[in-house]
PDB file of all heavy atoms in Angstrom:
ATOM      1  N   HIS A 932      -4.617  10.789 -17.999  1.00 87.00           N
ATOM      2  CA  HIS A 932      -4.332  10.595 -19.427  1.00 87.00           C
ATOM      3  C   HIS A 932      -3.189   9.621 -19.591  1.00 87.00           C
ATOM      4  O   HIS A 932      -3.217   8.755 -20.487  1.00 87.00           O
ATOM      5  CB  HIS A 932      -3.995  11.999 -20.022  1.00 87.00           C
ATOM      6  CG  HIS A 932      -3.987  12.003 -21.536  1.00 87.00           C
ATOM      7  ND1 HIS A 932      -5.082  11.710 -22.294  1.00 87.00           N
ATOM      8  CD2 HIS A 932      -3.012  12.248 -22.397  1.00 87.00           C
ATOM      9  CE1 HIS A 932      -4.809  11.784 -23.571  1.00 87.00           C
ATOM     10  NE2 HIS A 932      -3.498  12.126 -23.680  1.00 87.00           N
ATOM     11  N   ILE A 933      -2.159   9.766 -18.807  1.00 89.00           N
ATOM     12  CA  ILE A 933      -1.004   8.867 -18.903  1.00 89.00           C
ATOM     13  C   ILE A 933      -1.364   7.430 -18.463  1.00 89.00           C
ATOM     14  O   ILE A 933      -0.965   6.455 -19.048  1.00 89.00           O
ATOM     15  CB  ILE A 933       0.203   9.387 -18.048  1.00 89.00           C
ATOM     16  CG1 ILE A 933       0.716  10.705 -18.704  1.00 89.00           C
ATOM     17  CG2 ILE A 933       1.314   8.379 -17.986  1.00 89.00           C
ATOM     18  CD1 ILE A 933       1.826  11.371 -17.960  1.00 89.00           C
ATOM     19  N   ARG A 934      -2.167   7.346 -17.384  1.00 85.00           N
ATOM     20  CA  ARG A 934      -2.640   5.993 -16.919  1.00 85.00           C
ATOM     21  C   ARG A 934      -3.369   5.294 -18.040  1.00 85.00           C
ATOM     22  O   ARG A 934      -3.137   4.124 -18.330  1.00 85.00           O
ATOM     23  CB  ARG A 934      -3.602   6.170 -15.769  1.00 85.00           C
ATOM     24  CG  ARG A 934      -2.986   6.197 -14.390  1.00 85.00           C
ATOM     25  CD  ARG A 934      -4.031   5.930 -13.338  1.00 85.00           C
ATOM     26  NE  ARG A 934      -3.644   6.434 -12.061  1.00 85.00           N
ATOM     27  CZ  ARG A 934      -4.304   7.330 -11.355  1.00 85.00           C
ATOM     28  NH1 ARG A 934      -5.388   7.878 -11.816  1.00 85.00           N
ATOM     29  NH2 ARG A 934      -3.866   7.732 -10.171  1.00 85.00           N
ATOM     30  N   ASP A 935      -4.271   6.044 -18.711  1.00 83.00           N
ATOM     31  CA  ASP A 935      -5.055   5.440 -19.802  1.00 83.00           C
ATOM     32  C   ASP A 935      -4.144   4.983 -20.949  1.00 83.00           C
ATOM     33  O   ASP A 935      -4.362   3.937 -21.569  1.00 83.00           O
ATOM     34  CB  ASP A 935      -6.094   6.412 -20.325  1.00 83.00           C
ATOM     35  CG  ASP A 935      -7.295   6.547 -19.396  1.00 83.00           C
ATOM     36  OD1 ASP A 935      -7.418   5.714 -18.485  1.00 83.00           O
ATOM     37  OD2 ASP A 935      -8.103   7.449 -19.598  1.00 83.00           O
ATOM     38  N   PHE A 936      -3.103   5.772 -21.221  1.00 85.00           N
ATOM     39  CA  PHE A 936      -2.178   5.402 -22.277  1.00 85.00           C
ATOM     40  C   PHE A 936      -1.444   4.123 -21.956  1.00 85.00           C
ATOM     41  O   PHE A 936      -1.304   3.226 -22.784  1.00 85.00           O
ATOM     42  CB  PHE A 936      -1.174   6.524 -22.525  1.00 85.00           C
ATOM     43  CG  PHE A 936      -0.035   6.145 -23.426  1.00 85.00           C
ATOM     44  CD1 PHE A 936      -0.267   5.996 -24.791  1.00 85.00           C
ATOM     45  CD2 PHE A 936       1.247   5.905 -22.928  1.00 85.00           C
ATOM     46  CE1 PHE A 936       0.768   5.628 -25.634  1.00 85.00           C
ATOM     47  CE2 PHE A 936       2.271   5.539 -23.757  1.00 85.00           C
ATOM     48  CZ  PHE A 936       2.036   5.401 -25.129  1.00 85.00           C
ATOM     49  N   LEU A 937      -0.999   3.999 -20.696  1.00 82.00           N
ATOM     50  CA  LEU A 937      -0.284   2.769 -20.285  1.00 82.00           C
ATOM     51  C   LEU A 937      -1.174   1.561 -20.411  1.00 82.00           C
ATOM     52  O   LEU A 937      -0.717   0.483 -20.839  1.00 82.00           O
ATOM     53  CB  LEU A 937       0.220   2.945 -18.818  1.00 82.00           C
ATOM     54  CG  LEU A 937       1.338   3.938 -18.618  1.00 82.00           C
ATOM     55  CD1 LEU A 937       1.655   4.047 -17.107  1.00 82.00           C
ATOM     56  CD2 LEU A 937       2.602   3.562 -19.376  1.00 82.00           C
ATOM     57  N   ILE A 938      -2.441   1.717 -20.037  1.00 77.00           N
ATOM     58  CA  ILE A 938      -3.373   0.591 -20.144  1.00 77.00           C
ATOM     59  C   ILE A 938      -3.668   0.277 -21.592  1.00 77.00           C
ATOM     60  O   ILE A 938      -3.699  -0.884 -22.045  1.00 77.00           O
ATOM     61  CB  ILE A 938      -4.684   0.917 -19.389  1.00 77.00           C
ATOM     62  CG1 ILE A 938      -4.370   0.989 -17.874  1.00 77.00           C
ATOM     63  CG2 ILE A 938      -5.781  -0.086 -19.658  1.00 77.00           C
ATOM     64  CD1 ILE A 938      -5.409   1.770 -17.052  1.00 77.00           C
ATOM     65  N   GLN A 939      -3.836   1.335 -22.412  1.00 74.00           N
ATOM     66  CA  GLN A 939      -4.172   1.186 -23.834  1.00 74.00           C
ATOM     67  C   GLN A 939      -2.973   0.538 -24.551  1.00 74.00           C
ATOM     68  O   GLN A 939      -3.149  -0.234 -25.528  1.00 74.00           O
ATOM     69  CB  GLN A 939      -4.469   2.545 -24.429  1.00 74.00           C
ATOM     70  CG  GLN A 939      -5.042   2.505 -25.845  1.00 74.00           C
ATOM     71  CD  GLN A 939      -5.358   3.909 -26.330  1.00 74.00           C
ATOM     72  OE1 GLN A 939      -5.038   4.916 -25.657  1.00 74.00           O
ATOM     73  NE2 GLN A 939      -5.932   4.022 -27.541  1.00 74.00           N
ATOM     74  N   SER A 940      -1.751   0.839 -24.109  1.00 72.00           N
ATOM     75  CA  SER A 940      -0.562   0.308 -24.797  1.00 72.00           C
ATOM     76  C   SER A 940      -0.375  -1.170 -24.595  1.00 72.00           C
ATOM     77  O   SER A 940       0.469  -1.790 -25.208  1.00 72.00           O
ATOM     78  CB  SER A 940       0.702   1.022 -24.271  1.00 72.00           C
ATOM     79  OG  SER A 940       0.974   0.607 -22.959  1.00 72.00           O
ATOM     80  N   LYS A 941      -1.176  -1.777 -23.703  1.00 60.00           N
ATOM     81  CA  LYS A 941      -1.169  -3.212 -23.378  1.00 60.00           C
ATOM     82  C   LYS A 941       0.034  -3.624 -22.583  1.00 60.00           C
ATOM     83  O   LYS A 941       0.162  -4.768 -22.200  1.00 60.00           O
ATOM     84  CB  LYS A 941      -1.258  -4.065 -24.648  1.00 60.00           C
ATOM     85  CG  LYS A 941      -2.455  -3.816 -25.547  1.00 60.00           C
ATOM     86  CD  LYS A 941      -3.766  -4.096 -24.813  1.00 60.00           C
ATOM     87  CE  LYS A 941      -4.935  -4.010 -25.760  1.00 60.00           C
ATOM     88  NZ  LYS A 941      -5.251  -2.648 -26.203  1.00 60.00           N
ATOM     89  N   GLU A 942       0.966  -2.707 -22.302  1.00 47.00           N
ATOM     90  CA  GLU A 942       2.127  -3.058 -21.505  1.00 47.00           C
ATOM     91  C   GLU A 942       1.693  -3.401 -20.044  1.00 47.00           C
ATOM     92  O   GLU A 942       2.318  -4.220 -19.397  1.00 47.00           O
ATOM     93  CB  GLU A 942       3.135  -1.874 -21.470  1.00 47.00           C
ATOM     94  CG  GLU A 942       3.809  -1.597 -22.792  1.00 47.00           C
ATOM     95  CD  GLU A 942       4.773  -2.698 -23.183  1.00 47.00           C
ATOM     96  OE1 GLU A 942       5.542  -3.184 -22.343  1.00 47.00           O
ATOM     97  OE2 GLU A 942       4.726  -3.178 -24.351  1.00 47.00           O
ATOM     98  N   PHE A 943       0.649  -2.708 -19.599  1.00 42.00           N
ATOM     99  CA  PHE A 943       0.265  -2.841 -18.188  1.00 42.00           C
ATOM    100  C   PHE A 943      -1.075  -3.566 -18.005  1.00 42.00           C
ATOM    101  O   PHE A 943      -1.511  -3.789 -16.897  1.00 42.00           O
ATOM    102  CB  PHE A 943       0.129  -1.425 -17.568  1.00 42.00           C
ATOM    103  CG  PHE A 943       1.420  -0.757 -17.283  1.00 42.00           C
ATOM    104  CD1 PHE A 943       2.254  -0.337 -18.272  1.00 42.00           C
ATOM    105  CD2 PHE A 943       1.813  -0.546 -15.969  1.00 42.00           C
ATOM    106  CE1 PHE A 943       3.458   0.287 -18.005  1.00 42.00           C
ATOM    107  CE2 PHE A 943       3.019   0.085 -15.662  1.00 42.00           C
ATOM    108  CZ  PHE A 943       3.820   0.509 -16.688  1.00 42.00           C
ATOM    109  N   SER A 944      -1.731  -3.915 -19.108  1.00 45.00           N
ATOM    110  CA  SER A 944      -3.109  -4.393 -18.963  1.00 45.00           C
ATOM    111  C   SER A 944      -3.235  -5.696 -18.176  1.00 45.00           C
ATOM    112  O   SER A 944      -4.256  -5.916 -17.525  1.00 45.00           O
ATOM    113  CB  SER A 944      -3.729  -4.571 -20.380  1.00 45.00           C
ATOM    114  OG  SER A 944      -2.986  -5.501 -21.113  1.00 45.00           O
ATOM    115  N   ALA A 945      -2.235  -6.567 -18.250  1.00 43.00           N
ATOM    116  CA  ALA A 945      -2.360  -7.827 -17.546  1.00 43.00           C
ATOM    117  C   ALA A 945      -1.619  -7.791 -16.211  1.00 43.00           C
ATOM    118  O   ALA A 945      -1.417  -8.801 -15.577  1.00 43.00           O
ATOM    119  CB  ALA A 945      -1.786  -8.952 -18.411  1.00 43.00           C
ATOM    120  N   GLN A 946      -1.215  -6.591 -15.775  1.00 44.00           N
ATOM    121  CA  GLN A 946      -0.401  -6.449 -14.566  1.00 44.00           C
ATOM    122  C   GLN A 946      -1.245  -6.012 -13.372  1.00 44.00           C
ATOM    123  O   GLN A 946      -2.404  -5.580 -13.518  1.00 44.00           O
ATOM    124  CB  GLN A 946       0.653  -5.371 -14.790  1.00 44.00           C
ATOM    125  CG  GLN A 946       1.558  -5.649 -15.993  1.00 44.00           C
ATOM    126  CD  GLN A 946       2.765  -6.482 -15.625  1.00 44.00           C
ATOM    127  OE1 GLN A 946       3.192  -6.504 -14.486  1.00 44.00           O
ATOM    128  NE2 GLN A 946       3.335  -7.143 -16.613  1.00 44.00           N
ATOM    129  N   ASP A 947      -0.634  -6.142 -12.196  1.00 46.00           N
ATOM    130  CA  ASP A 947      -1.243  -5.540 -10.986  1.00 46.00           C
ATOM    131  C   ASP A 947      -0.883  -4.033 -11.003  1.00 46.00           C
ATOM    132  O   ASP A 947       0.281  -3.692 -10.822  1.00 46.00           O
ATOM    133  CB  ASP A 947      -0.669  -6.187  -9.748  1.00 46.00           C
ATOM    134  CG  ASP A 947      -1.208  -5.582  -8.456  1.00 46.00           C
ATOM    135  OD1 ASP A 947      -2.005  -4.614  -8.568  1.00 46.00           O
ATOM    136  OD2 ASP A 947      -0.793  -6.013  -7.376  1.00 46.00           O
ATOM    137  N   ASN A 948      -1.860  -3.201 -11.217  1.00 45.00           N
ATOM    138  CA  ASN A 948      -1.576  -1.762 -11.471  1.00 45.00           C
ATOM    139  C   ASN A 948      -1.855  -0.888 -10.249  1.00 45.00           C
ATOM    140  O   ASN A 948      -2.094   0.322 -10.403  1.00 45.00           O
ATOM    141  CB  ASN A 948      -2.423  -1.287 -12.678  1.00 45.00           C
ATOM    142  CG  ASN A 948      -1.930  -1.923 -13.962  1.00 45.00           C
ATOM    143  OD1 ASN A 948      -0.752  -2.098 -14.183  1.00 45.00           O
ATOM    144  ND2 ASN A 948      -2.866  -2.307 -14.797  1.00 45.00           N
ATOM    145  N   LYS A 949      -1.841  -1.453  -9.067  1.00 51.00           N
ATOM    146  CA  LYS A 949      -2.131  -0.638  -7.888  1.00 51.00           C
ATOM    147  C   LYS A 949      -1.131   0.481  -7.702  1.00 51.00           C
ATOM    148  O   LYS A 949      -1.470   1.520  -7.145  1.00 51.00           O
ATOM    149  CB  LYS A 949      -2.224  -1.485  -6.611  1.00 51.00           C
ATOM    150  CG  LYS A 949      -0.922  -2.149  -6.195  1.00 51.00           C
ATOM    151  CD  LYS A 949      -1.130  -2.828  -4.840  1.00 51.00           C
ATOM    152  CE  LYS A 949       0.180  -3.424  -4.313  1.00 51.00           C
ATOM    153  NZ  LYS A 949       0.528  -4.674  -4.847  1.00 51.00           N
ATOM    154  N   ASP A 950       0.113   0.294  -8.156  1.00 51.00           N
ATOM    155  CA  ASP A 950       1.142   1.322  -7.997  1.00 51.00           C
ATOM    156  C   ASP A 950       0.816   2.581  -8.809  1.00 51.00           C
ATOM    157  O   ASP A 950       1.269   3.676  -8.503  1.00 51.00           O
ATOM    158  CB  ASP A 950       2.504   0.809  -8.384  1.00 51.00           C
ATOM    159  CG  ASP A 950       3.082  -0.078  -7.325  1.00 51.00           C
ATOM    160  OD1 ASP A 950       2.984   0.245  -6.129  1.00 51.00           O
ATOM    161  OD2 ASP A 950       3.668  -1.146  -7.647  1.00 51.00           O
ATOM    162  N   LEU A 951       0.001   2.429  -9.858  1.00 52.00           N
ATOM    163  CA  LEU A 951      -0.431   3.591 -10.647  1.00 52.00           C
ATOM    164  C   LEU A 951      -1.392   4.478  -9.863  1.00 52.00           C
ATOM    165  O   LEU A 951      -1.619   5.620 -10.186  1.00 52.00           O
ATOM    166  CB  LEU A 951      -1.082   3.174 -11.953  1.00 52.00           C
ATOM    167  CG  LEU A 951      -0.224   2.313 -12.901  1.00 52.00           C
ATOM    168  CD1 LEU A 951      -0.998   2.070 -14.203  1.00 52.00           C
ATOM    169  CD2 LEU A 951       1.110   2.980 -13.229  1.00 52.00           C
ATOM    170  N   TYR A 952      -1.959   3.908  -8.821  1.00 53.00           N
ATOM    171  CA  TYR A 952      -2.913   4.634  -7.954  1.00 53.00           C
ATOM    172  C   TYR A 952      -2.356   4.861  -6.554  1.00 53.00           C
ATOM    173  O   TYR A 952      -3.070   5.107  -5.600  1.00 53.00           O
ATOM    174  CB  TYR A 952      -4.243   3.888  -7.880  1.00 53.00           C
ATOM    175  CG  TYR A 952      -4.867   3.640  -9.228  1.00 53.00           C
ATOM    176  CD1 TYR A 952      -4.537   2.545 -10.011  1.00 53.00           C
ATOM    177  CD2 TYR A 952      -5.789   4.536  -9.762  1.00 53.00           C
ATOM    178  CE1 TYR A 952      -5.092   2.321 -11.246  1.00 53.00           C
ATOM    179  CE2 TYR A 952      -6.398   4.319 -11.027  1.00 53.00           C
ATOM    180  CZ  TYR A 952      -6.021   3.211 -11.737  1.00 53.00           C
ATOM    181  OH  TYR A 952      -6.614   2.997 -12.988  1.00 53.00           O
ATOM    182  N   ALA A 953      -0.983   4.753  -6.414  1.00 55.00           N
ATOM    183  CA  ALA A 953      -0.391   4.786  -5.117  1.00 55.00           C
ATOM    184  C   ALA A 953      -0.535   6.143  -4.401  1.00 55.00           C
ATOM    185  O   ALA A 953      -0.650   6.224  -3.194  1.00 55.00           O
ATOM    186  CB  ALA A 953       1.109   4.467  -5.215  1.00 55.00           C
ATOM    187  N   GLU A 954      -0.555   7.240  -5.180  1.00 60.00           N
ATOM    188  CA  GLU A 954      -0.638   8.553  -4.591  1.00 60.00           C
ATOM    189  C   GLU A 954      -1.989   8.725  -3.879  1.00 60.00           C
ATOM    190  O   GLU A 954      -2.037   9.233  -2.742  1.00 60.00           O
ATOM    191  CB  GLU A 954      -0.493   9.610  -5.675  1.00 60.00           C
ATOM    192  CG  GLU A 954      -0.422  11.022  -5.143  1.00 60.00           C
ATOM    193  CD  GLU A 954      -0.194  12.064  -6.237  1.00 60.00           C
ATOM    194  OE1 GLU A 954      -0.154  11.676  -7.422  1.00 60.00           O
ATOM    195  OE2 GLU A 954      -0.091  13.264  -5.899  1.00 60.00           O
ATOM    196  N   GLU A 955      -3.089   8.278  -4.480  1.00 60.00           N
ATOM    197  CA  GLU A 955      -4.383   8.396  -3.862  1.00 60.00           C
ATOM    198  C   GLU A 955      -4.445   7.550  -2.592  1.00 60.00           C
ATOM    199  O   GLU A 955      -4.984   7.965  -1.576  1.00 60.00           O
ATOM    200  CB  GLU A 955      -5.461   7.928  -4.848  1.00 60.00           C
ATOM    201  CG  GLU A 955      -5.706   8.879  -6.017  1.00 60.00           C
ATOM    202  CD  GLU A 955      -4.741   8.623  -7.191  1.00 60.00           C
ATOM    203  OE1 GLU A 955      -3.742   7.935  -7.003  1.00 60.00           O
ATOM    204  OE2 GLU A 955      -4.980   9.185  -8.289  1.00 60.00           O
ATOM    205  N   ALA A 956      -3.836   6.344  -2.701  1.00 61.00           N
ATOM    206  CA  ALA A 956      -3.808   5.439  -1.507  1.00 61.00           C
ATOM    207  C   ALA A 956      -3.020   6.037  -0.358  1.00 61.00           C
ATOM    208  O   ALA A 956      -3.386   5.961   0.786  1.00 61.00           O
ATOM    209  CB  ALA A 956      -3.219   4.076  -1.907  1.00 61.00           C
ATOM    210  N   ALA A 957      -1.886   6.714  -0.690  1.00 64.00           N
ATOM    211  CA  ALA A 957      -1.066   7.318   0.356  1.00 64.00           C
ATOM    212  C   ALA A 957      -1.792   8.509   1.050  1.00 64.00           C
ATOM    213  O   ALA A 957      -1.716   8.665   2.271  1.00 64.00           O
ATOM    214  CB  ALA A 957       0.267   7.864  -0.247  1.00 64.00           C
ATOM    215  N   ALA A 958      -2.529   9.257   0.293  1.00 67.00           N
ATOM    216  CA  ALA A 958      -3.317  10.345   0.847  1.00 67.00           C
ATOM    217  C   ALA A 958      -4.387   9.819   1.806  1.00 67.00           C
ATOM    218  O   ALA A 958      -4.609  10.399   2.881  1.00 67.00           O
ATOM    219  CB  ALA A 958      -3.990  11.158  -0.265  1.00 67.00           C
ATOM    220  N   GLN A 959      -4.995   8.704   1.450  1.00 68.00           N
ATOM    221  CA  GLN A 959      -6.007   8.050   2.321  1.00 68.00           C
ATOM    222  C   GLN A 959      -5.327   7.618   3.615  1.00 68.00           C
ATOM    223  O   GLN A 959      -5.892   7.769   4.724  1.00 68.00           O
ATOM    224  CB  GLN A 959      -6.685   6.888   1.588  1.00 68.00           C
ATOM    225  CG  GLN A 959      -7.664   6.117   2.440  1.00 68.00           C
ATOM    226  CD  GLN A 959      -8.799   6.938   2.959  1.00 68.00           C
ATOM    227  OE1 GLN A 959      -9.267   7.859   2.268  1.00 68.00           O
ATOM    228  NE2 GLN A 959      -9.283   6.652   4.133  1.00 68.00           N
ATOM    229  N   ARG A 960      -4.138   6.996   3.484  1.00 65.00           N
ATOM    230  CA  ARG A 960      -3.413   6.527   4.693  1.00 65.00           C
ATOM    231  C   ARG A 960      -3.078   7.669   5.650  1.00 65.00           C
ATOM    232  O   ARG A 960      -3.187   7.548   6.854  1.00 65.00           O
ATOM    233  CB  ARG A 960      -2.161   5.761   4.316  1.00 65.00           C
ATOM    234  CG  ARG A 960      -2.431   4.367   3.736  1.00 65.00           C
ATOM    235  CD  ARG A 960      -1.155   3.543   3.700  1.00 65.00           C
ATOM    236  NE  ARG A 960      -0.124   4.150   2.886  1.00 65.00           N
ATOM    237  CZ  ARG A 960       0.002   3.940   1.545  1.00 65.00           C
ATOM    238  NH1 ARG A 960      -0.844   3.123   0.969  1.00 65.00           N
ATOM    239  NH2 ARG A 960       0.956   4.514   0.862  1.00 65.00           N
ATOM    240  N   GLU A 961      -2.688   8.804   5.080  1.00 69.00           N
ATOM    241  CA  GLU A 961      -2.335   9.952   5.918  1.00 69.00           C
ATOM    242  C   GLU A 961      -3.550  10.504   6.595  1.00 69.00           C
ATOM    243  O   GLU A 961      -3.455  10.932   7.789  1.00 69.00           O
ATOM    244  CB  GLU A 961      -1.669  11.044   5.036  1.00 69.00           C
ATOM    245  CG  GLU A 961      -1.266  12.317   5.776  1.00 69.00           C
ATOM    246  CD  GLU A 961      -0.333  12.064   6.970  1.00 69.00           C
ATOM    247  OE1 GLU A 961       0.390  11.052   6.990  1.00 69.00           O
ATOM    248  OE2 GLU A 961      -0.348  12.879   7.894  1.00 69.00           O
ATOM    249  N   ARG A 962      -4.695  10.537   5.916  1.00 69.00           N
ATOM    250  CA  ARG A 962      -5.941  11.013   6.594  1.00 69.00           C
ATOM    251  C   ARG A 962      -6.290  10.109   7.750  1.00 69.00           C
ATOM    252  O   ARG A 962      -6.691  10.551   8.802  1.00 69.00           O
ATOM    253  CB  ARG A 962      -7.093  11.041   5.583  1.00 69.00           C
ATOM    254  CG  ARG A 962      -7.029  12.178   4.591  1.00 69.00           C
ATOM    255  CD  ARG A 962      -8.331  12.376   3.843  1.00 69.00           C
ATOM    256  NE  ARG A 962      -8.617  11.245   2.974  1.00 69.00           N
ATOM    257  CZ  ARG A 962      -8.196  11.162   1.689  1.00 69.00           C
ATOM    258  NH1 ARG A 962      -7.473  12.141   1.177  1.00 69.00           N
ATOM    259  NH2 ARG A 962      -8.524  10.116   0.957  1.00 69.00           N
ATOM    260  N   GLU A 963      -6.096   8.777   7.555  1.00 67.00           N
ATOM    261  CA  GLU A 963      -6.391   7.811   8.621  1.00 67.00           C
ATOM    262  C   GLU A 963      -5.442   8.004   9.801  1.00 67.00           C
ATOM    263  O   GLU A 963      -5.835   7.904  10.931  1.00 67.00           O
ATOM    264  CB  GLU A 963      -6.275   6.419   8.030  1.00 67.00           C
ATOM    265  CG  GLU A 963      -6.434   5.284   9.035  1.00 67.00           C
ATOM    266  CD  GLU A 963      -7.810   5.254   9.756  1.00 67.00           C
ATOM    267  OE1 GLU A 963      -8.716   5.962   9.274  1.00 67.00           O
ATOM    268  OE2 GLU A 963      -7.918   4.528  10.756  1.00 67.00           O
ATOM    269  N   ARG A 964      -4.170   8.266   9.481  1.00 67.00           N
ATOM    270  CA  ARG A 964      -3.167   8.493  10.547  1.00 67.00           C
ATOM    271  C   ARG A 964      -3.525   9.712  11.392  1.00 67.00           C
ATOM    272  O   ARG A 964      -3.437   9.703  12.608  1.00 67.00           O
ATOM    273  CB  ARG A 964      -1.780   8.617   9.937  1.00 67.00           C
ATOM    274  CG  ARG A 964      -0.679   8.812  10.959  1.00 67.00           C
ATOM    275  CD  ARG A 964       0.705   8.963  10.280  1.00 67.00           C
ATOM    276  NE  ARG A 964       1.676   9.376  11.240  1.00 67.00           N
ATOM    277  CZ  ARG A 964       1.870  10.643  11.634  1.00 67.00           C
ATOM    278  NH1 ARG A 964       1.083  11.581  11.136  1.00 67.00           N
ATOM    279  NH2 ARG A 964       2.776  10.954  12.522  1.00 67.00           N
TER     280      ARG A 964
END
Side-chain angles (χ1 to χ4, degrees):
H932 193 60
I933 292 178
R934 272 197 201 119
D935 284 348
F936 170 73
L937 291 176
I938 292 161
Q939 191 179 5
S940 72
K941 304 297 188 290
E942 292 292 315
F943 285 69
S944 59
Q946 304 271 337
D947 177 1
N948 292 320
K949 66 173 185 279
D950 285 317
L951 301 185
Y952 302 86
E954 188 177 1
E955 291 84 347
Q959 176 60 34
R960 286 195 299 272
E961 179 56 24
R962 286 193 293 272
E963 175 62 12
R964 181 180 169 278

